[in-house]
Amino acid sequence: MTQDLISHIDRLIRQRPPSKPALLPFRELVHLMAHSTPDVRTVRIEKGVRDIQRQEGFPLFSREDLPLDFNAAADLLKKFLAHLIDAGRHDVQGIKTALNKTEAAHDWSGRLFRAILKQDEEAVSIMAAEVKLDPNVLLFLGKTALKPSIACLRDAVSEEMDKNEWREGYCPLCGSQPDMACFERTGKRYLHCELCGEEWPFPRIKCPFCNAEEQEKLGYFEAEQEEGFRVYFCRECLRYIKTIDKKAFEEVAPLELENLATIHLDLLAQENGFR
Ligand SMILES: [Zn+2]
Ligand SMILES: [Zn+2]
C-alpha cells in the first residue's frame, strides 16, 4: 500500500510538476505511516439494524464515535513532528513546540484528534496558536496521523458496508462530506470522503451538499488546458466539488492524492465565490 502510494506520488510529480509542493511533504509522511500498526476493534452490527440505519440515512459511525486507536495516532504524530524538525521548514520553532506538547502536556494529541473529529475549527486554531503553528498545518498533521487507524477500521467494516444502497451525499462510514469526486470509466459518479477515504456512488446531476437537482442551479467550470478535471458547483448552497474523469487518464492515483495534487482548483473555486 505504502509503496503503491509512493509510486503514484512520484508519477504525479513527474507528470504534473506544479503538484510537487503539495505532494512532496506528504510523501515523507507516507514513509513514516508504513510502520504504524494501530489496534482497531469494531462492533458487529446486526444486518437488520444496519438495513434500517441505512434507509434512514445513518452512517455506520458518527465522526466522534469512530473507534480509532488514538495511542497509535499520537505516536505517529510525534514521529511526524520529530521528522519535520530536520526538514528545513520556516515554522521549525512551532514544530518543536508542538513536539514538546505531545510529549509533556497530558493528552495534548488526544485533544487534537477529538477536535478534528468534532470539526471544531476553533479548538484546532487555539491549539495551533499555543504552539505557534498555522492551524492548517496542525490539522493536516493530525488528520494524517489518524489515517492508518482509519484505514484499519475501513478494512474491518468493509463487509458491513453496502455502498450501492446508500443514497446520501455524506459518507456511509463516518458521515463526513466529500472532498473530491470522480467519474468512473462507466460514467458513474463516485464521491470520496474527506476523512476516511471511503467512496460511494452518487447521481451525476445532484448537489451532494444540499441535494439540489435542478439543472439551472448546477454547473461546472474547467481549468485552462487541464483536460479531465472539472469543478462542479451549486448556485443554491454555493459549494463545489472537484471531479476527475477517469476516462481522460491512463492511470489515476487514489483520490486522496488527486485531491492534494489539485489544490489550484480549490483556489480557483474559492476565487469564484464557492466554498
Ligand atoms: Zn468517511
Ligand atoms: Zn448545493
Side-chain angles (χ1 to χ4, degrees):
M1 182 62 197
T2 306
Q3 203 41 53
D4 193 39
L5 271 183
I6 301 260
S7 50
H8 274 299
I9 291 174
D10 292 342
R11 179 181 57 78
L12 283 176
I13 291 177
R14 226 171 29 246
Q15 293 174 348
R16 284 142 55 188
S19 66
K20 190 172 171 181
L23 287 174
L24 212 49
F26 186 62
R27 188 183 192 281
E28 302 287 305
L29 304 188
V30 171
H31 272 297
L32 298 171
M33 276 195 272
H35 304 289
S36 178
T37 47
D39 182 14
V40 168
R41 288 158 219 267
T42 77
V43 280
R44 282 263 161 268
I45 300 168
E46 224 181 290
K47 192 175 178 306
V49 176
R50 183 62 208 131
D51 286 345
I52 295 168
Q53 283 179 332
R54 190 187 311 113
Q55 282 155 21
E56 302 283 324
F58 287 109
L60 211 47
F61 299 98
S62 66
R63 288 175 65 114
E64 284 130 88
D65 297 330
L66 285 166
L68 302 177
D69 183 346
F70 277 12
N71 291 328
D75 259 2
L76 195 52
L77 180 61
K78 266 189 230 171
K79 284 194 185 130
F80 288 167
L81 293 163
H83 174 81
L84 291 174
I85 285 177
D86 300 321
R89 295 169 62 100
H90 67 90
D91 57 358
V92 65
Q93 205 48 52
I95 297 283
K96 277 185 189 163
T97 317
L99 180 59
N100 287 340
K101 284 277 186 195
T102 60
E103 283 167 349
H106 176 67
D107 199 28
W108 195 80
S109 308
R111 263 206 292 146
L112 176 65
F113 299 141
R114 282 190 292 277
I116 291 171
L117 293 174
K118 263 188 169 165
Q119 294 182 292
D120 187 343
E121 284 173 28
E122 201 190 332
V124 175
S125 293
I126 291 170
M127 294 185 78
E130 270 171 32
V131 296
K132 297 200 171 62
L133 268 184
D134 180 333
N136 289 322
V137 170
L138 190 61
L139 179 66
F140 181 72
L141 293 175
K143 262 178 118 170
T144 309
L146 286 167
K147 271 179 193 286
S149 254
I150 292 177
C152 259
L153 178 64
R154 274 185 62 193
D155 281 348
V157 299
S158 61
E159 281 178 22
E160 307 251 348
M161 305 280 299
D162 197 352
K163 296 187 288 186
N164 292 321
E165 297 295 319
W166 187 248
R167 300 276 172 265
E168 316 297 336
Y170 46 84
C171 174
L173 196 160
C174 74
S176 304
Q177 293 190 327
D179 60 2
M180 180 102 199
C182 71
F183 293 135
E184 287 296 336
R185 290 178 204 281
T186 55
K188 205 167 174 170
R189 175 159 81 156
Y190 279 76
L191 304 178
H192 173 263
C193 174
E194 62 101 359
L195 180 70
C196 76
E198 192 58 76
E199 292 176 22
W200 69 99
F202 196 74
R204 273 178 83 124
I205 304 177
K206 186 171 181 174
C207 170
F209 304 105
C210 75
N211 290 326
E213 291 177 295
E214 300 85 344
Q215 292 264 11
E216 65 278 11
K217 288 181 181 163
L218 306 171
Y220 68 84
F221 60 81
E222 291 164 320
E224 260 173 66
Q225 297 168 345
E226 206 173 11
E227 214 202 318
F229 287 101
R230 282 180 180 176
V231 177
Y232 281 79
F233 59 78
C234 170
R235 291 189 186 87
E236 180 74 19
C237 67
L238 298 180
R239 299 289 303 265
Y240 72 92
I241 188 147
K242 299 184 290 187
T243 305
I244 179 168
D245 186 350
K246 293 194 174 179
K247 281 201 299 293
F249 299 91
E250 239 171 72
E251 211 178 342
V252 177
L255 292 188
E256 65 171 325
L257 296 181
E258 294 291 353
N259 184 33
L260 279 177
T262 49
I263 289 176
H264 58 290
L265 294 178
D266 293 293
L267 299 177
L268 206 58
Q270 286 153 19
E271 277 165 20
N272 281 283
F274 299 103
R275 60 193 168 84

